[in-house]
């Protein structure tokens, strides 16, 4: 299971095939703001690391969920005798939650370990109702460098609404997000019918170069690329002929027979490191030609065979009233259509693919047979391999 | 787990100890005819391979249950837009179920992969109400070569009635079937009482040569051997003396005190590669001296620690009326006695033995202490090692 | 999992880090007397070995729970045709339970294996209502050498009352038992409140030498050491200051404000190889200054990640009436307070620590950061490494 080879130097990129636990030295979404309430302890595994979160005077702090003394997992029975500290239930070793410093040992108050030992302390940023944590050893770059462009814009109100542990390596989900053609699986999803959304079955490149629809993001800020759907040919019908039989595949909503909502060509998708996607405009009243939202999602590595699938919607607003309305609409209406009527299919596809990628004796992707259209996926892998900040290995794994 | 070393050449036999996943290039029973109904998809793991079955216009076809593109498991959400095709739910890659040919990619209709890529397509034969599948790479030999002699005879009506996943390597079951003395475990089974069946506790060879009761099958047709029980001494009583205490073991039915059914000496057992046994005559009205049925069973490898135990009964019939009567009698009467009152004990014994054979650091059978009578088992292993057509390794396993 | 390297010679000590399955050639408590009733078979895994127990004419015998012929696990369907024998359900191989000798094969009564093959037979001693079994290859030393001093005294009545499989390696529990400071975790346990028991949060060594409270036991008899609490400074209050906040930790029972029971300084703890602890005096009427009982417990290795936690209380008695009263009081009263109100916390702590010690790539304890006070634990490890009688490897493991 543990074929870990650490990156040569902290911050140096690793191969995509080696990133079974994700890329180290990046920001990842962990939870939603409301998940960690004042005085409450929460624990979560991200990139194989067990992390303990606590909110103190409004701000959330995170430390490694394991005592440095003899390894007790704090979250098995968290004890806090001041708001700023975690005390190990086993022998009372006490740490400052804000920086991880060991500050007390009840049986050895003068111990030289005090002031020397330090729990790993994770940088945390709370923005847009979400908690982001930095998993790494280097000085953290700005959070914005690891986020979808526009997500942090002041006039964007974000409503995070879905978190789920998916039984697939995070790269299966990221690969799928990198290319448009996985939408084939959405053809019967009820979101399309409800919104009269003219989603093609797949897209075809216009010319021979399969990358022409892409705009690379390699300057300052987040790394990845933008997919502009104006440059491709949408396919709304797929005809199958075999042994004299003919079958035709169409989406649940057929734009040829009925006026639909947001035209496909208006949309843009952006996929950035470490594992975030935005797509929009998306979501509107049925029949409306103007999408109101941007869909954000992340595939956060948990371990070699699981990732956490997180979804949020964003909307440009010009007042608190509009923000409250978006909050209300997403929570009481759109989130149901979006997840139950659409993204659930992505989960099924990613889980249905895990077995092939976890078979012993294979490097990631070695068994694939890629078509021209998978150039999209290859481009993502190349971008990811070039711009990531290092390979994650098991916490404390031998080097 | 995967200590796979493939056979040097396809079709060349491998050692019995190396056959933890079974022998490649053989026919195996998969399911019963009624298990795969028109338009229905079924999936099953045999010898470590996941196989998708569909019945089209009466005939059953089988392909590998994994898309060649990016590995989606078709059976997670099978899609069929013509009766002859399977379309991958994920990106729409479409295959001809009859031969595995890739026939369409919705996003890349001119792809060079079309007509070139081919799903592994498994030869299937449907006979006697059962589906047999060929797992291998060579041109399949006749099905009859891998079946118990007589099973395919035109006047034999077969009623398949039991299928079960057993938690033991298939060789534990085959070894047990190869020697008569495992019947010791059946001594209290209620089938014996009901049928007044004079089954010995064990048998003893008549002379010094423990093999004399066997007739090897090494010519054309199935390979294995026949056990003729006339050449052995049946033991109906086993006396134990220990530390002054004496105990006597007898079967539930005692032929010394009451007139029994089919005499033991009339029976014959035949064990053939890859994993099929027949034994008979067997099964009759209580007290009848003439057995009407032949019992067939198979131990089909699923993975290293499980096999599928399949049971069918056959009867020579001379009319459709007799066939229907056999169908009725087996399903409403004999199958209960046979499985619940007898073969269930074999399952317990095989599962109770798995731990010893799966302990780390051991080759198959290395810890055994074989008695003279286990010459039967050794002969089976020698036959199997000589006549099998190759070693099964994990599908797609590195070579 | 199996990184087993056996000890050079039987009886030679192994390193503490290598004892993941415990120490071989020692006596271990297996069950309580009442758990194995006349004619009843019981099975149990100790130090990775599956052992079958039967009581014959009052005395309990134990053999390896696996037939030597083809590995059937007797306990899957134990058959006994005389009181002294176990007969394998599969092929009838029959063994003398008292010494393991193979005494009969029904199909081969003249086999040379009879009188030659021998099941491993485990020495068993039944004392004080408990069954002790010797796991090893050498001539067993006296049971008393592997027991807490005093346990076998004629005037001690023992009431064994708790047995539990704990998900932690046995060494995590033994390490915890070796040092007093784990009592920090008991501070809120309701036993303290009920008994008004003045248990400190932790203890501090009086001088620079952390070992001064210990009396090594290295002469004849059991090996280990005695912890005399008179030589340490009990800590009843632990003050935490962090970022301007102050918190104070105190035990549930505060001896500074109320008259308590048995003074802490009267107690002694003794930890001996292979894995037994005694502590006392302990247990009395609330407010009484005289403890009536001694608490005994053991951490018996089951496999690499589980141990069996066994608890018994002992009391000096001078009549059968007093013994019966102790029996009644412990079973109907003390056992509830002791386990539910106290020792349950030890189980939580040991289980909460298992993850840290089972992470791949680490030797036992490699990640620890030990404080001065952990000299207690290091001393135990040194004692254990010096006086154990060998490393346990998986039964039948390759050498």
């Amino acid at each position: 299971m543990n074929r870990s080879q650490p990156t040569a130097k902290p911050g140096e990129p690793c191969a995509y095939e080696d990133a079974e636990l994700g890329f180290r030295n990046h920001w990842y979404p962990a939870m939603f703001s409301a998940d960690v309430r004042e005085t409450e302890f929460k624990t979560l595994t991200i990139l194989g690391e067990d992390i303990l979160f606590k909110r103190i005077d409004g701000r959330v702090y995170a430390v490694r969920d394991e005592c440095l003394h003899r390894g007790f997992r704090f979250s098995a029975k968290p004890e806090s005798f001041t708001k700023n500290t975690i005390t190990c239930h086993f022998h009372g070793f006490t740490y400052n939650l804000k920086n991880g410093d060991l500050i007390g040992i009840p049986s050895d108050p003068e111990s030289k370990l005090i002031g020397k030992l330090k729990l790993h302390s994770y940088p945390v940023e709370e923005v847009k109702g979400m908690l982001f944590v930095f998993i790494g050893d280097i000085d953290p770059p700005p959070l914005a460098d690891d986020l979808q462009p526009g997500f942090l814009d002041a006039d964007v109100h974000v409503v995070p609404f879905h978190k789920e542990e998916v039984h697939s390596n995070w790269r299966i989900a990221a690969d799928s997000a990198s290319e448009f053609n996985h939408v084939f699986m959405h053809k019967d999803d009820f979101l399309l019918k409800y919104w009269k959304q003219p989603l093609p079955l797949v897209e075809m490149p216009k010319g021979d170069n399969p990358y022409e629809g892409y705009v690379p993001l390699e300057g300052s800020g987040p790394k990845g690329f933008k997919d502009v759907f104006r440059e491709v040919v949408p396919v709304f019908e797929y005809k199958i002929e075999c042994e004299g039989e003919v079958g035709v595949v169409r989406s649940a909503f057929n734009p040829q027979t009925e006026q639909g909502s947001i035209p496909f060509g208006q949309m843009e998708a952006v996929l950035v490191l470490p594992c975030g996607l935005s797509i929009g405009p998306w979501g509107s009243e049925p029949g409306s030609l103007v999408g109101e939202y941007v869909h954000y999602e992340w595939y956060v590595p948990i371990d070699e065979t699981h990732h956490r699938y997180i979804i949020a919607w964003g909307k440009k607003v010009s007042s608190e009233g509009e923000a409250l309305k978006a909050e209300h609409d997403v929570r009481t209406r759109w989130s149901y259509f979006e997840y139950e009527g659409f993204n659930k299919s992505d989960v099924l596809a990613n889980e249905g693919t895990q077995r092939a990628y976890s078979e012993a004796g294979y490097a990631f992707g070695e068994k694939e047979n890629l078509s021209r259209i998978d150039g999209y996926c290859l481009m993502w892998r190349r971008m990811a391999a070039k711009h990531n900040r290092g390979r994650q290995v098991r916490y404390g794994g031998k080097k």
Side-chain angles (χ1 to χ4, degrees), chain A residues 375-394:
Chain A
Y376 299 171
C377 177
L378 294 176
M379 194 193 181
W380 153 247
R381 294 178 180 178
R382 241 172 278 139
M383 281 295 219
K386 187 172 169 190
H387 294 292
N388 77 77
R389 305 191 193 104
R391 182 183 188 197
Q392 174 70 346
V393 294
R394 281 269 164 197

Side-chain angles (χ1 to χ4, degrees), chain A residues 315-353:
Chain A
K315 184 176 185 177
K316 277 200 188 301
V317 295
S318 52
S319 70
E320 290 192 356
E322 280 181 39
L324 282 170
K325 187 177 183 317
E327 196 79 27
H328 178 84
D329 287 352
V330 172
R331 297 211 182 279
T332 62
R333 188 178 185 194
W334 305 141
S335 56
Y336 172 67
F337 289 103
E338 181 63 26
Y339 182 74
E340 296 295 332
F342 196 76
N343 292 131
K344 211 175 171 175
S345 296
D346 293 284
V347 171
L348 183 147
N350 292 328
E351 293 193 333
T353 301

Side-chain angles (χ1 to χ4, degrees), chain A residues 22-26 47 49 120 135-137 389-392:
Chain A
F23 295 127
R24 193 160 175 82
N25 297 312
H26 284 272
L47 280 77
E49 306 199 10
H120 187 88
I135 313 281
D137 320 297
R389 305 191 193 104
R391 182 183 188 197
Q392 174 70 346

Side-chain angles (χ1 to χ4, degrees), chain A residues 48-318:
Chain A
E49 306 199 10
D50 299 307
I51 304 177
L52 187 74
F53 296 84
K54 193 190 180 198
R55 187 181 292 275
I56 304 170
D57 295 336
R59 188 166 162 195
V60 174
Y61 297 89
V63 294
R64 168 77 172 162
D65 184 14
E66 184 175 301
C67 182
L68 292 167
H69 174 223
R70 291 229 299 271
F72 184 74
R73 186 171 185 158
F74 300 124
S75 58
K77 187 150 179 129
E79 296 199 309
S80 223
F81 297 101
T82 83
K83 68 181 177 187
N84 300 309
T85 50
I86 176 78
T87 292
C88 179
H89 174 64
F90 206 156
H91 299 88
F93 278 52
T94 301
Y95 304 86
N96 183 337
L97 281 164
K98 294 185 172 173
N99 55 24
D101 284 349
L102 175 65
I103 62 160
I105 302 176
S107 59
D108 197 3
E110 308 300 321
S111 169
K112 286 168 188 169
L113 298 176
I114 296 169
K116 197 180 127 200
L117 282 190
K118 221 175 150 52
L119 274 183
H120 187 88
S121 168
Y122 296 83
V124 174
E125 293 218 22
E126 184 168 9
V127 288
K128 305 285 183 189
M130 294 177 66
L131 293 165
F132 293 86
V133 65
F134 184 76
I135 313 281
D137 320 297
I138 64 173
D139 285 337
L143 172 60
D145 285 7
D146 286 347
L147 276 178
Q148 298 88 323
F151 179 83
L152 294 175
D153 286 358
D155 61 350
V156 170
H157 182 75
V158 173
V159 188
F161 65 83
H162 189 79
K163 253 181 342 213
E164 178 183 13
E165 295 205 358
V166 178
H167 179 43
S168 95
N169 187 269
W170 73 279
R171 290 169 298 183
I172 291 170
D175 282 354
S176 177
S178 74
E179 40 84 6
F180 183 81
N181 288 316
H182 75 270
V183 298
F184 185 82
M185 76 172 80
H186 293 302
K187 58 193 170 304
D188 292 322
D189 287 348
F190 69 77
L191 172 148
L192 301 185
K193 272 190 190 143
Y194 176 78
W195 274 337
K196 306 175 187 291
Q197 180 61 50
L199 195 71
L201 292 174
V202 292
E203 62 176 25
M204 287 196 291
K206 270 187 178 158
D208 283 340
N209 180 356
Y211 303 128
E212 63 195 23
Y214 279 95
V215 179
L217 304 175
E218 300 197 90
S220 66
K223 306 295 187 294
F225 56 77
K226 184 156 66 171
D227 187 357
V228 186
F229 299 116
R230 285 181 297 276
E231 304 302 319
V232 293
V233 180
V235 176
F236 283 93
E237 191 178 292
Y238 171 44
K239 196 175 168 185
I240 294 167
E241 295 186 66
C242 183
E243 311 247 338
E245 300 279 328
V246 176
V248 177
V249 188
R250 284 192 194 87
S251 273
F253 175 75
N254 186 348
Q256 292 163 317
T257 60
E258 195 185 355
Q259 173 64 43
S261 305
I262 323 159
F264 166 68
Q266 284 183 15
M267 294 184 204
E268 279 183 6
V270 180
L271 181 63
V272 298
L273 272 79
C275 60
L277 174 79
S278 70
I279 186 157
W282 186 248
S284 56
E285 289 301 324
S288 162
L289 292 175
V290 184
E292 298 176 50
Y293 293 89
V294 175
H295 171 103
Y296 298 102
E297 62 179 38
W298 293 265
Y299 327 105
V300 183
I302 297 173
D303 60 24
E304 291 82 353
T305 55
H306 295 82
H307 71 273
R308 193 169 290 111
Y309 181 32
I310 297 178
I311 308 175
W313 272 22
K315 184 176 185 177
K316 277 200 188 301
V317 295
S318 52

